[in-house]
Amino acid sequence: AQSVSQHNHHVILSEAASLELGCNYSYGGTVNLFWYVQYPGQHLQLLLKYFSGDPLVKGIKGFEAEFIKSKFSFNLRKPSVQWSDTAEYFCAVTRTGGFKTIFGAGTRLFVKA
Amino acid sequence: DSGVTQTPKHLITATGQRVTLRCSPRSGDLSVYWYQQSLDQGLQFLIHYYNGEERAKGNILERFSAQQFPDLHSELNLSSLELGDSALYFCASSAPGGGSSGANVLTFGAGSRLTVL
């Protein structure tokens, strides 16, 4: 069965620090990969996605993620975080052509001003 | 506003009771997904409907059932409620099509918070 592992459950950073959140999935076939974000009091929303092509994808608010197929990884990065990036971040995977999107457990990021 | 509407926003009920959560997908979306988010389980996929038909099932208990109606709204029915069913229930919808057209991109509603006492 598909599964998604997020390495850190809680991350605390100071503003301007660099961010990398790890995500690994377990599925050998072709997948679509996503990062979603849930800001405090808001609904989950798409941050970025990878379907095919360039493995380095850029999303909103300066976030990017790199798909490394050999490592089954899709890590999220941001060079310099802001206080407004405080949120919960979810990695998700869908088998290409499939109907079930599986989410990781989420990483709560707190950015200190 | 994401365009996905969920009602009610909050619901408090007692063990053994039955509740119905409702979801209206974003205009034009044919797929509806239900997820359960609890503190210890994260975001768990429950079930997916496409244009009225069940397409995928996840870790949905037998006490739970769902359907999607001809107008594409969906209802999640939770019965014989237990304390452990207390959670945030999210509905999401996605556009028709495949691959890069966005079929797998989910648009979430604000959720229905269920508290079972």
Side-chain angles (χ1 to χ4, degrees):
Chain A
Q2 284 172 254
S3 67
V4 179
S5 298
Q6 292 186 236
H7 306 163
N8 312 95
H9 293 298
H10 294 91
V11 173
I12 301 174
L13 294 173
S14 297
E15 275 195 312
S18 64
L19 170 73
E20 180 158 4
L21 302 182
C23 172
N24 287 89
Y25 64 93
S26 66
Y27 180 70
T30 307
V31 294
N32 296 333
L33 297 159
F34 309 85
W35 277 96
Y36 286 85
V37 60
Q38 188 173 26
Y39 296 103
Q42 296 187 27
H43 58 270
L44 274 151
Q45 55 190 286
L46 182 70
L47 195 57
L48 49 78
K49 64 184 185 291
Y50 172 81
F51 286 156
S52 63
D54 189 344
L56 184 62
V57 292
K58 295 190 185 300
I60 59 171
K61 302 186 181 186
F63 285 90
E64 65 179 32
E66 184 176 13
F67 171 48
I68 303 179
K69 190 174 181 179
S70 61
K71 295 185 178 180
F72 298 91
S73 70
F74 190 56
N75 292 354
L76 181 71
R77 298 194 293 251
K78 185 171 184 178
S80 176
V81 295
Q82 300 172 316
W83 175 80
S84 58
D85 293 325
T86 295
E88 188 159 17
Y89 294 81
F90 294 89
C91 181
V93 60
T94 308
R95 179 176 56 85
T96 301
F99 304 108
K100 190 190 297 190
T101 299
I102 304 300
F103 284 77
T107 297
R108 287 181 186 264
L109 170 66
F110 179 73
V111 180
K112 297 184 291 185
Chain B
D1 183 7
S2 67
V4 178
T5 304
Q6 288 189 248
T7 57
K9 285 188 169 47
H10 301 277
L11 191 55
I12 301 173
T13 188
T15 54
Q17 295 298 304
R18 172 191 168 96
V19 299
T20 297
L21 309 180
R22 181 188 168 102
C23 169
S24 293
R26 200 176 52 162
S27 177
D29 288 356
L30 301 181
S31 280
V32 169
Y33 307 75
W34 286 98
Y35 284 85
Q36 179 192 55
Q37 185 183 34
S38 55
L39 283 174
D40 57 344
Q41 295 275 339
L43 204 61
Q44 297 288 312
F45 170 75
L46 295 178
I47 199 163
H48 166 230
Y49 280 86
Y50 178 82
N51 204 21
E53 291 186 13
E54 181 186 308
R55 285 293 181 92
K57 216 168 196 177
N59 302 323
I60 187 166
L61 300 172
E62 284 190 14
R63 300 184 286 108
F64 296 0
S65 64
Q67 54 184 324
Q68 185 179 27
F69 295 86
D71 67 353
L72 300 177
H73 92 271
S74 177
E75 292 181 358
L76 179 66
N77 300 296
L78 316 175
S79 61
S80 303
L81 285 168
E82 302 175 359
L83 296 177
D85 298 327
S86 295
L88 199 52
Y89 291 85
F90 284 108
C91 170
S93 68
S94 68
S100 60
S101 71
N104 291 141
V105 176
L106 303 180
T107 301
F108 282 85
S112 292
R113 184 172 293 282
L114 173 66
T115 302
V116 182
L117 301 175

